[in-house]
């Protein structure tokens, strides 16, 4: 038999002025199971709490109902009070008779009547409350960072700084990502390599950080604090532990006509290669698609010249398995492919380039040693047209609906750098809008216009036509002057939209995290939890969550690190006990619940059951991982048989409330 | 015999319904028939029988037994029983008329079911002889003559007139009450109709079904028969057969919490249901085979065993046409028949 | 067709591909056919039937049968294959344990429709050039074939088999059906008219559970209506509310999962057009969330387990149609 | 449902509110002393997606005259996607109730954020008025639960 205590708070006059608290206490005292019903001036005060605690002990209460302010205000207060008196804190229910009653009603009679009904509902619910215990789950003290660009590097460094082991998984032979390809950074125009490469070295030298370059995540199991991840270390045919990065092999390799991805295919590399001089790890990699030895079995030059015997043509992919407490996704972005943009003649004319290609063309370590030359004839361009929003803010299926955010600023940077270095070059920028929010950004853009005389024209480029004289005809509209323009350009630079890396979607599936329709990872809350995914223990760093510039990326990377550290520093995590659970005897194994779970908390196992007809049957049944479940209850409604229920908000509890209210 | 011309049926119904509630089989839109409370203009159905049996009149699908009123911690018991009003059921077929005899054996033997008795006392059953039996009919198997139905009073139609015959005082009282509308008539044509009906009954496809292999003393022969597995294999475990059956009399008693009280009610239950006769320890019949067997053993063995050889089936054929998978007592009897 | 099916079944039994066959068994009359499992060539020869009355959807039996040892041969009509696929998707059947032979679908006949014509004492039914010759104890009767077609067949949605191991006869196409006509007609009534229509229909319900128990989407280990802890358990339609509730919840539970096989209405002893409730959901899903046919595949997300960010708001119900 | 011969009909409104947005929004309308009728009784659920159609039917069975479901605005769900499922479920359920001839103004879904105290109060005022116009729920009530 239940022994329930009801405690009605006056809240000074906040409640008592419009609700007749004595009548409420009296009425609730007649409810079945209620053994004590009291009112008090301030229930949340120490003496009020003592009233509750003493009643719990004295009357051996099995449930407590506090009629007071919103549970969002003092539910925890009274739960703690109950716990200190030896009653399970989840046997406390709050009837909200202040915010949802006394404060909104003026008529004492109807407010009192409503307060009684709300109290009855809470009593009806508490009858069915079960004691709940928050479970604990241990935390593996190691983080995984997926992606070794500036976001991943920064996150890893910050986590390592806090004293935790971090692994970086990078799919390319070197970490560094897009930032390594960039020449200068806006708005300060400092050299990207100068600020990035020290961080790369720092990461490689930090003993807490392990870099798995040329590797991929192939499987993720487990949940927050307890992920088991399989990492594929792709065969690079060079023993990483032996290679000193001397580079002799890359000099001697006879296969020299391999498009160099690092320079956006603007020059060539050898079949055995180190992506760039400051690569980390500085280890050679053999490209099996081009290596003569691998393709024909005849060559072996690199093996002969390698003094440490690091070359291993027979090397195979290796899989390693590691436990992690937290995972940070930093998979970054890529410019979109421009194949569909025939109007810009990108595929027809080598002098129509993307902005990232321009970065390489202007970079001292790039194909032309830093001198800006047209790719077609290696001559100096005198007129350059920049086209903004190529594929960004696009309504059609060719492009992306969103703003890529960084293009306005890097185009201003490119324009400014070109005008600075080659004052005889005319620069035109066609834009829809110039978007420069950010510290010192608008000043930067204005400098480009005012100091460097870059011609900014509001309008879209309609067609780019390479001419036989080597010039490029750019046909565009000037929306402000309302006229059609033709510009004889030497080069055209396209600000291609950026999109999440292609590896992000399969990764999201493995991680059971959510993505938006553009394949950007979805944050747990767009305002308040911007660096966490909805899946506990998975954090988001950098452009995988949305377009970002470098300072924003680094800020988010550090924020993600802080969140990960906050998790790793705990020995175990306390789970919310108000989670879903499945009654195996009723579960159909139909997977409906799994489909609506935003956290991937539900898994299925085949289990043997003694069936009602005395037979033994193997049935597929759902189980909820209480450490992962956040208790939304979506599964409880998706479940047709009612096998899935939610602690603290069970079907019977909610229906008891409905009944009491409608009584 | 007293008779009334068929074209004066309306006047007859008006007369009966003037003094008490009258129920007659009436057509539904879909071509089937059901008992309806007579209202002016309503026509007597030509259908052989109603989809639902006539047992509802005495043993409705749900009925409240007692109320409990709850106020705070107090519970008050409220007796809700009332005397039933008088009513007439007109046009009951021979099979359904016999079903009342079977239900009486259950509900009127000690301890008497006062709810049932109340309605039984106040209801007058006026039967109607069949003239066009269907292929699903096998009332003859249980000694029922469709051309000579039981009931408080019986009616016979020769196509032009309806003849009345009282079987007991209640029936006589009923005929007396409408005697002003009746006239004495010649039964020569009627006798011919009845003879013809009996001829047809003999030719029906199920006319040969025999109860010889069944009865109270045949428990051991049938209980462990291997045939049950195959017979029950495709049974869906629904309650259609039991709910359309005029003799199935099992019920469950449940409490319904209205929020301010409890209504204790009883409702039909079905032995085909997995929670039938479920008790604290669980369910005595765990498989559909056992539940299926229960239904037919009850009708063909247990019931006769307890009721001087009377079978718990009247051969109305409703389960034959309504079972979703067309498994029925005839198929069971044929399979279990000892040749 | 029946001959070809029996022969193929015998072959598959003989070569050990399967050890059981699920099909239909002849009854006492022309129309009272029972789904049955056959275990030998002799049983097949004696009782296996496939004709105008073999309308029962046997896919639900495979929930149990496919979990038994050995492999079972199932003859599935096009509509039955949708049910089977949906069950596969929900992990309710073990696909590997079923050998499926797709067989042509209906239209099948409805004995109730013949009886509703006043034809009784039926001894045999023959289809001669789309006229039914019905032999009865009162002499021969005739009626047009199409007037006796089952409702579910009259609004057939597809002659295509969505899953099979082999076919006997040709595969068909998804059809342009008129199946939403009655739903539309109801939608165009006033709320009061709709209320009266459904009150009239649902008040006939005797809660025999035939609709639920025959439904291939209703395979719950424990139905909420049988579970005293569910809060909705009941055994009888005690009043109009319970009559409504049972059918609303049942329809909601199968929404997005119902393949529209029509068995619920076929088996209803009270001829309640229950399929209209399911079709209402199907029609809403199609029009609000895009065309979706449950059972068409085994991988797509069920509409109620899915969403789009720009889905319509619930207020659309208030904005459209007749009040 | 209360009908008093002297007084006008006072409908009983059950409001399911998600803990994170709408319940907080309801609290805010209290904090700001924004009135709405005492006919409205709120039941707190973690997320609007916790609301089973059975709860809504249950409320009508037991005498509610209107049921309103409030959740976070689409895209703002604390659990990221709960209200999207709610939206589909309730759209279909309400459409079915409408199909059965139940007055469509007895049911509603409204998105109310934690900041929208005014919207919460306005919504409840409006909804209560709408239900008041319809009169007592007679089409979806359990007669056994009707108060004598």
């Amino acid at each position: 038999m239940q022994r329930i205590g009801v405690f009605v708070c006056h809240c000074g006059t906040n409640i008592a002025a419009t609700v007749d608290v004595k009548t409420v206490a009296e009425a609730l005292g007649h409810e079945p199971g209620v053994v004590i019903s009291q009112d008090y001036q301030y229930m949340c005060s120490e003496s009020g709490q003592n009233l509750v605690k003493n009643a719990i002990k004295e009357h051996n209460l099995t449930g407590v109902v506090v009629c007071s302010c919103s549970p969002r205000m003092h539910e925890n207060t009274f739960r703690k009070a109950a716990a200190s008196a030896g009653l399970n804190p989840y046997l406390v229910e709050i009837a909200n008779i202040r915010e949802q009653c006394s404060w909104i009603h003026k008529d004492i009679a109807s407010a009192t009547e409503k307060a009684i009904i709300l109290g009855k509902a809470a009593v009806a619910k508490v009858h069915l409350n079960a004691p709940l215990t928050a479970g604990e789950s241990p935390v593996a003290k190691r983080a995984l960072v997926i992606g070794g660009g500036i976001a991943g590097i920064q996150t890893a460094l910050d986590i390592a700084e806090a004293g935790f082991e971090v692994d970086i998984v990078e799919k390319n032979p070197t970490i560094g990502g897009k930032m390594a390809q960039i020449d200068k950074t806006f708005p300060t125009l400092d050299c990207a390599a100068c600020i990035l490469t020290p961080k790369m070295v720092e990461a490689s030298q930090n003993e807490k950080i392990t870099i798995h370059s040329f590797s991929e995540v192939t499987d993720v199991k487990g949940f927050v604090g307890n992920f088991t991840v399989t990492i594929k270390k792709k065969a690079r045919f060079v023993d990483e532990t032996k290679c000193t990065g001397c580079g002799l092999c890359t000099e001697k390799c006879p296969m020299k006509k391999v498009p160099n991805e690092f320079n956006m295919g603007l020059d060539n590399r050898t079949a055995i290669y180190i992506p760039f001089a400051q690569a980390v790890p500085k280890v050679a990699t053999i490209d099996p698609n081009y290596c003569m030895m691998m393709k024909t079995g005849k060559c072996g030059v690199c093996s002969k010249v390698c003094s440490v015997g690091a070359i291993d043509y027979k090397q195979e992919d290796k899989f390693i398995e590691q436990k992690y407490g937290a995972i940070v996704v930093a998979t970054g972005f890529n410019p979109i492919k421009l194949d569909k943009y025939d109007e810009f003649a990108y595929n027809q004319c080598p002098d129509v380039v993307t902005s990232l290609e321009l970065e390489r063309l202007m970079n001292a370590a790039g194909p032309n040693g830093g001198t800006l030359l047209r790719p077609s004839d290696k001559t100096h361009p005198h007129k350059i047209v920049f086209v903004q929003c190529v594929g960004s803010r696009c309504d059609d299926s060719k492009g992306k609906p969103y703003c890529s955010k960084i293009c306005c600023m890097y185009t201003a940077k490119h324009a400014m750098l070109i005008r600075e270095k080659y004052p005889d070059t005319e620069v035109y920028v066609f834009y829809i809008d110039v978007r420069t929010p950010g510290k010192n950004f608008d000043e930067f853009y204005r400098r480009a216009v005012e100091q460097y005389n870059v011609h900014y024209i509001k309008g879209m480029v309609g067609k780019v036509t390479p001419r036989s004289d080597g010039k490029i005809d750019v046909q565009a509209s000037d929306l402000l002057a309302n006229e059609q323009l033709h510009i004889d350009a030497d080069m055209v630079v396209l600000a291609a939209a950026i999109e999440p890396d292609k590896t992000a979607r399969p990764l999201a599936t493995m991680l059971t995290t959510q993505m938006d329709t553009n394949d950007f990872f979805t944050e747990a809350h767009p305002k308040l939890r911007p660096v966490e995914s909805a899946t506990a223990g998975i954090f988001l760093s950098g452009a995988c969550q949305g377009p970002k510039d470098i300072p924003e990326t680094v800020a988010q990377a550090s924020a993600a690190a802080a969140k990960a550290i906050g998790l790793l520093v705990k020995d175990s995590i306390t789970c919310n006990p108000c989670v879903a659970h499945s009654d195996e005897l009723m579960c159909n194994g139909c997977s409906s619940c799994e489909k609506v779970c935003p956290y991937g908390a539900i898994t299925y196992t085949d289990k043997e059951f003694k069936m009602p007809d005395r037979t033994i049957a193997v049935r597929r049944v759902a189980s909820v991982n209480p450490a992962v479940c956040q208790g939304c209850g979506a599964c409880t409604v998706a479940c047709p048989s009612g096998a899935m229920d939610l602690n603290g908000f069970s079907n019977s509890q909610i229906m008891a409330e409905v009944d009491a209210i409608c009584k | 015999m007293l008779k009334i011309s068929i074209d004066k049926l309306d006047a007859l119904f008006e007369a009966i319904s003037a003094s008490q509630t009258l129920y007659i089989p009436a057509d539904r839109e879909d071509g089937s028939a059901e008992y309806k409370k007579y209202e002016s203009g309503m026509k007597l159905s030509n259908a052989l029988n109603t989809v639902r049996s006539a047992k509802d009149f005495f043993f409705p699908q749900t009925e409240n037994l007692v109320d409990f009123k709850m106020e705070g911690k107090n519970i008050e018991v409220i007796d809700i029983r009332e005397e039933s009003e008088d009513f007439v059921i007109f046009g009951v077929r021979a099979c359904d008329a016999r079903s009342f005899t079977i239900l009486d054996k259950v509900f009127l033997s000690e301890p008497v079911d006062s709810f049932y008795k109340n309605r039984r006392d106040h209801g007058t059953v006026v039967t109607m002889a069949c003239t066009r039996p269907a292929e699903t009919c096998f009332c003859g198997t249980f000694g029922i003559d469709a051309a000579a139905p039981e009931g408080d009073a019986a009616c016979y139609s020769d196509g032009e007139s309806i003849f009345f015959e009282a079987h007991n005082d209640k029936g006589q009282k009923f005929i007396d009450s409408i005697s002003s509308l009746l006239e004495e008539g010649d039964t020569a044509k009627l006798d011919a109709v009845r003879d013809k009906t009996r001829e047809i009954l003999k030719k029906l496809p199920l006319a040969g079904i025999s109860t010889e292999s069944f009865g109270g003393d045949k428990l051991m022969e049938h209980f462990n028969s291997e045939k049950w597995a195959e017979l029950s294999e495709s049974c869906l475990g629904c309650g259609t057969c039991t709910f359309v059956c005029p003799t199935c009399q099992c019920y469950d008693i449940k409490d319904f919490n209205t929020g301010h009280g409890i209504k204790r009610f009883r409702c039909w239950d079905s032995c085909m249901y997995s929670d039938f006769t479920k008790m604290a320890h669980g369910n005595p019949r765990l498989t559909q085979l056992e539940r299926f067997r229960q239904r037919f053993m009850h009708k063909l063995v247990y019931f006769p065993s307890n009721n001087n050889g009377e079978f718990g089936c009247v051969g109305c054929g409703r389960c034959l046409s309504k079972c979703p998978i067309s498994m029925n007592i005839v198929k069971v009897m044929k399979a279990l028949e000892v040749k | 067709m029946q001959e070809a099916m029996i022969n193929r079944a015998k072959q598959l039994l003989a070569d050990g591909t399967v050890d059981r066959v699920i099909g239909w068994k002849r009854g006492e009359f022309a129309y009272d056919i029972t789904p049955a499992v056959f275990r030998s060539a002799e049983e097949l020869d004696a009782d296996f039937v496939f004709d105008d009355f073999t309308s029962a959807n046997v896919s639900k039996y495979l929930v149990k049968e496919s979990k038994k040892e050995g492999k079972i041969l199932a003859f599935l009509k096009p509509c039955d294959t949708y049910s089977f696929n949906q069950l596969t998707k929900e992990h309710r059947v073990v696909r590997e344990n079923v050998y499926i032979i797709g067989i042509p679908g209906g239209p099948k006949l409805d004995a109730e429709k013949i009886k509703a014509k006043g034809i009784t004492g039926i001894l045999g039914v023959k289809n001669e050039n789309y006229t039914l010759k019905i032999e009865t104890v009162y002499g021969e009767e005739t009626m047009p074939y199409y007037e006796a077609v089952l409702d579910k067949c009259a609004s057939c949605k597809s002659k295509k088999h969505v899953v099979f191991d082999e076919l006997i006869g040709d595969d068909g196409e998804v059809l342009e059906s008129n199946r939403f006509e009655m739903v539309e007609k109801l939608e165009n009534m006033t709320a009061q008219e709709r209320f009266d229509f459904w009150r009239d229909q649902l008040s006939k319900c005797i809660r025999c559970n035939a609709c639920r128990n025959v439904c291939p989407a209703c395979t719950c280990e424990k139905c909420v209506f049988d579970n005293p802890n569910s809060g909705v358990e009941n055994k009888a339609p005690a009043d109009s509310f319970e009559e409504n509730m049972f059918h609303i919840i049942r329809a909601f539970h199968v929404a997005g999962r119902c393949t529209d096989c029509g068995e619920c209405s076929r088996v209803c002893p009270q001829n309640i057009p229950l399929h209209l409730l399911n079709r209402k959901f199907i029609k809403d899903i199609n029009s609000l969330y895009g065309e979706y046919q449950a059972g068409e595949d085994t991988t797509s997300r069920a509409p109620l387990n899915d969403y789009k960010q720009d889905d319509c708001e619930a207020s659309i119900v208030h904005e459209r149609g007749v009040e | 449902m209360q009908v008093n011969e002297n007084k006008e009909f006072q409908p009983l409104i059950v409001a399911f509110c998600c803990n994170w947005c709408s319940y907080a929004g309801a609290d805010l309308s209290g904090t700001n002393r924004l009135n709405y009728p005492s006919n409205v009784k709120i039941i707190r659920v973690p997320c609007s997606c916790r609301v089973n159609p059975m709860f809504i039917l249950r409320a009508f069975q037991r005498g509610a005259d209107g049921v309103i479901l409030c959740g976070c605005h689409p895209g703002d769900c604390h659990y990221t996607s709960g209200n999207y499922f709610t939206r589909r479920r309730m759209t279909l359920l309400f459409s079915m109730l409408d199909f059965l001839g139940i007055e469509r103004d007895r049911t509603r879904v409204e998105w109310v954020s934690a900041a929208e105290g005014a919207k919460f109060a306005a919504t409840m005022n409006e909804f209560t008025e709408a239900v008041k116009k319809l009169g007592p729920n007679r089409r979806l009530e359990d007669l056994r639960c009707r108060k004598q």
Side-chain angles (χ1 to χ4, degrees), chain A residues 131-147:
Chain A
L132 302 175
T133 315
E136 292 209 333
S137 150
V139 177
K141 304 257 172 199
R142 193 182 186 101
L144 171 67
V145 176
I146 304 170

Side-chain angles (χ1 to χ4, degrees), chain D residues 43-117:
Chain D
I43 293 177
R44 184 166 69 126
V45 286
C47 175
S48 58
C49 70
R50 175 66 189 92
V51 177
N52 196 309
M54 291 198 291
F55 304 162
I56 292 169
L57 295 180
R58 180 88 167 194
F60 283 123
Q61 172 185 32
R62 306 267 150 175
D65 300 295
V67 178
I68 183 165
L69 180 51
C70 300
C72 307
H73 284 267
D76 288 351
C77 175
H78 178 78
Y79 305 100
T80 69
S81 54
N83 51 4
Y84 290 126
F85 294 118
T86 307
R87 187 163 61 180
R88 282 201 172 189
R89 289 168 185 164
M90 293 306 138
T91 304
L92 291 180
L93 175 71
F94 294 174
S95 180
M96 177 53 71
L97 293 179
D98 178 49
F99 190 60
L100 292 173
I102 313 301
E103 303 93 334
R104 51 179 76 151
D105 286 342
R106 292 199 191 278
T107 49
R108 195 186 286 192
V109 171
E110 203 68 57
W111 309 126
V112 180
S113 79
E116 293 175 324

Side-chain angles (χ1 to χ4, degrees), chain B residues 37-252:
Chain B
K37 189 171 163 180
Y38 177 79
E39 282 162 17
S40 293
M42 205 179 267
K43 294 278 172 253
L44 184 69
S45 170
N46 283 323
L48 175 67
N49 217 340
T50 51
V51 176
R52 290 175 75 163
S53 83
K55 76 176 171 190
D56 299 49
F57 291 109
F58 304 120
F59 175 45
Q61 183 159 17
T62 61
E63 76 177 307
N64 285 336
L65 304 178
V66 63
D67 283 1
F68 304 94
K69 195 177 167 192
M70 294 193 299
E71 240 167 356
K73 291 164 187 160
N74 300 321
I75 299 176
E76 187 189 337
V77 182
I78 300 167
D79 188 348
I80 54 160
R81 282 177 291 183
E82 299 176 344
E83 195 72 10
S84 167
E85 58 175 7
D86 285 339
F87 63 96
V88 173
I89 329 168
F90 185 89
V92 177
R93 296 297 184 183
C95 45
D96 283 4
R98 173 66 65 83
S99 78
F100 301 145
T101 318
I102 292 169
L103 294 176
D104 287 350
K105 289 196 155 95
V106 176
F107 292 112
L108 298 183
S109 57
E110 285 301 323
V112 172
D113 185 305
S114 58
F115 294 86
Y116 177 87
K117 183 170 186 298
N118 183 9
R119 282 183 290 264
R120 197 78 173 93
D121 288 345
H122 288 273
T124 306
V125 177
V126 182
T127 55
M128 174 69 83
C130 299
T131 54
R132 276 174 71 83
E135 72 279 9
T136 50
C137 293
F138 60 110
C139 54
T141 300
F142 301 99
I144 298 164
D145 182 358
E150 298 161 356
D152 298 318
C155 298
Y156 313 92
S157 169
D158 66 2
E160 289 166 358
S161 299
I162 289 176
F163 293 78
F164 289 83
E165 183 180 60
H167 289 154
N168 57 25
D169 293 348
K170 208 192 250 178
Q172 191 57 53
K173 218 176 121 195
F174 166 74
I175 293 174
D176 292 347
S177 74
I178 54 168
S179 58
S180 61
L181 293 167
L182 306 181
E183 55 184 341
E184 198 60 41
D186 175 28
T187 60
K189 190 177 172 200
L190 176 64
D191 293 339
V193 168
R194 293 174 73 180
D195 287 345
K196 199 180 150 207
T197 305
R198 290 186 174 120
E199 280 308 304
I200 293 166
L201 284 166
K202 276 183 215 152
K203 285 194 294 186
L204 289 177
L206 303 181
I209 307 287
S210 156
T211 57
E212 204 133 298
S213 308
F214 304 96
D217 54 344
K218 300 292 199 304
L219 177 80
M220 295 324 285
E221 284 99 310
H222 298 310
F223 191 84
N224 290 319
S225 168
E226 287 170 6
K227 304 266 174 59
W228 292 115
E230 196 190 323
L231 287 166
S232 64
E233 193 165 45
S234 48
C235 177
L236 297 171
C238 76
T240 308
C241 52
T242 49
F243 290 176
V244 298
C245 178
T247 68
C248 271
Q249 73 286 108
C250 293
Y251 59 82
D252 194 5

Side-chain angles (χ1 to χ4, degrees), chain B residues 28 30 61 132-135 230 233-234 236-239 243 252 254 269 273 322 325-326 331 334, chain C residues 25 28 31-32 34-35 39 61 112 115 120-122 138 206-209 213 233 235-236 269-271:
Chain B
R28 284 202 296 222
D30 59 13
Q61 183 159 17
R132 276 174 71 83
E135 72 279 9
E230 196 190 323
E233 193 165 45
S234 48
L236 297 171
C238 76
F243 290 176
D252 194 5
K254 296 174 97 64
D269 204 346
Y273 289 170
K322 289 302 176 187
I325 54 124
S326 297
K331 289 183 180 176
K334 280 197 161 182
Chain C
K25 187 174 177 174
E28 293 298 312
Y31 56 79
D32 62 333
T34 304
R39 289 172 179 80
Y61 290 107
E112 293 288 318
K115 293 180 184 177
T120 188
I122 301 166
Y138 304 101
I206 55 172
R207 270 306 295 283
C208 63
N209 290 319
N213 290 16
E233 182 242 12
K235 262 190 184 166
Q270 293 283 62
N271 294 333

